[in-house]
Amino acid sequence: MAGAGDEAAVLPDLLPVYYRRLFPYPQYFRWLNYGGVRKAYFQNREFSFTLRDDIYLRYQSFTNQQELEKEMQKLVPYKIDIGAVYSHKPNQHNSVKAGNFQALEKELVFDIDMTDYDDVRNCCRAADICHKCWTLMTIAIRVLDRALEEDFGFEHRLWVYSGRRGVHCWVCDDIARKLSQTARSAVAEYLSVVKGGEDTIKKVHLTHPIHPSIEKAIVLVKRYFREYALENQDILGSKEAWEKVLAMVPEEIRENLQTEFINARNSDKRWDMLKQSVKTTKAIFTAEEIMLQYCYPRLDVNVSKGLNHLLKSPFCVHPKTGRISVPIDLKTLDSFDPFSVPTLSSICRELDSNKKPEEEDVTSKESEPESKRRSRDYKKTSLAEPVRIFDEFLKKMEHSRKGVLLEQSDSHRDF
């Protein structure tokens, strides 16, 4: 497997191949066009490109899929970010009268980054991840996806691996795209449970009765807590480690637990002792608060709140790891492995090795549309499965949209 340095080195040679032969433009356009929900919807969408040598281009916009393809193949962006749908074409924003250029709509988005969990993971730091701490992203998706579906009724939630150390969620329902900044802030705050900076010892405070949404989050966290926190992170494995946890328990039982922990065999036994001791105090939710502090999703709320905030695009190539930012299938979430995600070099190798002799015959390809060749190309690589997941998401969204149009048609017929 190529290392991160190797992947960065091949970007200049392989990114043009990726954008010419493998990037799923038709699906990508279908997503952001939303069935032509209104005139100029796609045209007024902001894209930003980061080019080689950190050249940053904001307010890019395109008339149609063909124009987007042409520009991406010409500029070969190292990173693509997606912004809001504006009142005017973003690439003409300088010619619009001040104050008239407004962000109107955008998917409700969430950004969860592993670096925000550095105080509760012992295996890695900063941008590094491993299988032991990736469980935090699995928990985050489980907890947030349930809340978005059951508490808010959002149907169309696209979960995407960032390509390095986190995950993104794009909530694409019509009602979600139209939310005001105030409403987005309210949703983000509702979903934020872990609060406080580095100096805050206890970051979760539960009150009686526990909110039903948090109760359901606790049930989900419990499924992973013992294996993640007690076995893999060994949060009670040493005096130094357990003192961080005991700082969150009531003072009257802290000293006694310190003594008991010395005689216990492992984190698992110490956790059971802690839960038992807490029952004798008024702070009855201490164990749940500790579990949430170690495992509950940590959101970058500013990403969710702002209408004009940009977020990295699906199917982007991470310039440091070379991994493709792929959609995640929630049906197989527990087995999702960030280290087996297709990389730019791996899919280009697959494309090369799956080349058939007849494909070398240029004359036989002259009459074949480029879009058809590209559709065939990605299917020869491990990008086929992520594109299938994306396509499934789009079909469900399109089916739902047809259902709404039929309902509207029927209601007009009643008059």
Side-chain angles (χ1 to χ4, degrees), residues 157-177:
R157 309 167 308 278
L158 179 67
W159 285 95
V160 181
Y161 170 50
S162 73
R164 191 174 194 185
R165 60 176 184 253
V167 292
H168 302 148
C169 180
W170 300 77
V171 184
C172 301
D173 298 58
D174 189 58
I175 195 167
R177 302 198 309 273

Side-chain angles (χ1 to χ4, degrees), residues 210-266:
I210 297 178
H211 190 283
S213 185
I214 297 175
E215 274 191 331
K216 287 173 182 175
I218 291 167
V219 171
L220 288 168
V221 165
K222 277 181 179 175
R223 280 168 48 184
Y224 298 92
F225 183 75
R226 281 194 185 267
E227 185 180 349
Y228 166 71
L230 303 178
E231 292 174 31
N232 292 339
Q233 300 299 325
D234 205 14
I235 66 167
L236 300 171
S238 67
K239 192 171 189 293
E240 185 187 3
W242 76 54
E243 279 182 344
K244 278 175 67 179
V245 179
L246 290 183
M248 291 183 260
V249 305
E251 208 171 328
E252 65 262 30
I253 61 168
R254 206 175 294 160
E255 196 175 325
N256 191 44
L257 278 171
Q258 281 272 22
T259 309
E260 286 185 7
F261 279 10
I262 293 166
N263 301 318
R265 289 199 309 274
N266 54 38

Side-chain angles (χ1 to χ4, degrees), residues 148-387:
L148 290 167
E149 181 180 24
E150 295 180 16
D151 301 357
F152 292 98
F154 296 133
E155 280 185 76
H156 307 295
R157 309 167 308 278
L158 179 67
W159 285 95
V160 181
Y161 170 50
S162 73
R164 191 174 194 185
R165 60 176 184 253
V167 292
H168 302 148
C169 180
W170 300 77
V171 184
C172 301
D173 298 58
D174 189 58
I175 195 167
R177 302 198 309 273
K178 288 179 165 66
L179 287 175
S180 66
Q181 187 150 322
T182 307
R184 289 165 196 267
S185 298
V187 175
E189 288 301 331
Y190 174 90
L191 295 169
S192 298
V193 172
V194 181
K195 296 180 179 180
E198 283 180 36
D199 300 328
T200 309
I201 293 168
K202 192 175 179 186
K203 297 178 181 176
V204 178
H205 296 272
L206 298 178
T207 53
H208 183 77
I210 297 178
H211 190 283
S213 185
I214 297 175
E215 274 191 331
K216 287 173 182 175
I218 291 167
V219 171
L220 288 168
V221 165
K222 277 181 179 175
R223 280 168 48 184
Y224 298 92
F225 183 75
R226 281 194 185 267
E227 185 180 349
Y228 166 71
L230 303 178
E231 292 174 31
N232 292 339
Q233 300 299 325
D234 205 14
I235 66 167
L236 300 171
S238 67
K239 192 171 189 293
E240 185 187 3
W242 76 54
E243 279 182 344
K244 278 175 67 179
V245 179
L246 290 183
M248 291 183 260
V249 305
E251 208 171 328
E252 65 262 30
I253 61 168
R254 206 175 294 160
E255 196 175 325
N256 191 44
L257 278 171
Q258 281 272 22
T259 309
E260 286 185 7
F261 279 10
I262 293 166
N263 301 318
R265 289 199 309 274
N266 54 38
S267 281
D268 218 44
K269 294 288 182 191
R270 291 179 186 121
W271 178 248
D272 290 337
M273 287 173 174
L274 185 150
K275 287 200 300 179
Q276 197 57 41
S277 294
V278 166
K279 287 178 182 175
T280 65
T281 73
K282 289 180 181 177
I284 54 171
F285 299 132
T286 299
E288 286 80 2
E289 288 168 342
I290 293 167
M291 284 194 290
L292 292 174
Q293 182 153 331
Y294 273 82
C295 297
Y296 191 88
R298 300 184 175 201
L299 300 174
D300 183 342
V301 291
N302 292 323
V303 173
S304 304
K305 288 177 179 180
L307 253 174
N308 58 353
H309 205 293
L310 296 152
L311 187 63
K312 184 182 181 183
S313 168
F315 294 99
C316 223
V317 177
H318 196 288
K320 293 226 168 41
T321 63
R323 292 186 205 126
I324 315 292
S325 185
V326 294
I328 298 170
D329 187 351
L330 266 58
K331 294 192 285 291
T332 55
L333 175 61
D334 286 336
S335 59
F336 178 82
D337 179 3
F339 298 103
S340 64
V341 162
T343 65
L344 179 61
S345 60
S346 73
I347 58 174
C348 286
R349 272 197 310 272
E350 288 164 358
L351 188 62
D352 214 33
S353 64
N354 287 327
K355 194 185 289 179
K356 294 175 184 173
E358 61 266 26
E359 288 179 33
E360 300 297 337
D361 180 6
V362 179
T363 55
S364 68
K365 290 166 67 178
E366 279 178 357
S367 60
E368 185 180 31
E370 189 184 338
S371 59
K372 192 173 179 183
R373 290 204 304 272
R374 185 169 51 242
S375 158
R376 189 183 62 201
D377 280 343
Y378 83 77
K379 288 178 181 174
K380 298 173 193 168
T381 75
S382 47
L383 199 62
E385 180 59 13
V387 175

Side-chain angles (χ1 to χ4, degrees), residues 24-37:
Y25 294 104
Q27 293 89 343
Y28 195 72
F29 177 76
R30 271 168 61 205
W31 172 40
L32 294 173
N33 191 46
Y34 289 100
V37 63

Side-chain angles (χ1 to χ4, degrees), residues 393-408:
F393 170 79
L394 294 173
K395 281 175 182 169
K396 186 184 169 193
M397 202 158 63
E398 286 159 357
H399 182 74
S400 174
R401 193 158 52 232
K402 280 176 188 169
V404 170
L405 291 172
L406 280 170
E407 277 181 23
Q408 290 171 349

Side-chain angles (χ1 to χ4, degrees), residues 95-162:
S95 61
V96 178
K97 191 177 175 184
N100 286 356
F101 182 66
Q102 301 283 339
L104 302 178
E105 288 188 21
K106 194 187 74 171
E107 295 77 7
L108 174 63
V109 294
F110 298 93
D111 180 10
I112 303 117
D113 195 310
M114 196 74 86
T115 53
D116 294 324
Y117 295 83
D118 276 359
D119 61 317
V120 292
R121 57 181 186 142
N122 300 323
C123 52
C124 302
R125 280 287 174 276
D128 293 333
I129 62 165
C130 70
H131 289 114
K132 284 183 177 180
C133 57
W134 186 256
T135 305
L136 288 166
M137 295 297 107
T138 305
I139 296 168
I141 294 172
R142 289 266 180 239
V143 169
L144 292 177
D145 195 70
R146 185 220 61 79
L148 290 167
E149 181 180 24
E150 295 180 16
D151 301 357
F152 292 98
F154 296 133
E155 280 185 76
H156 307 295
R157 309 167 308 278
L158 179 67
W159 285 95
V160 181
Y161 170 50
S162 73

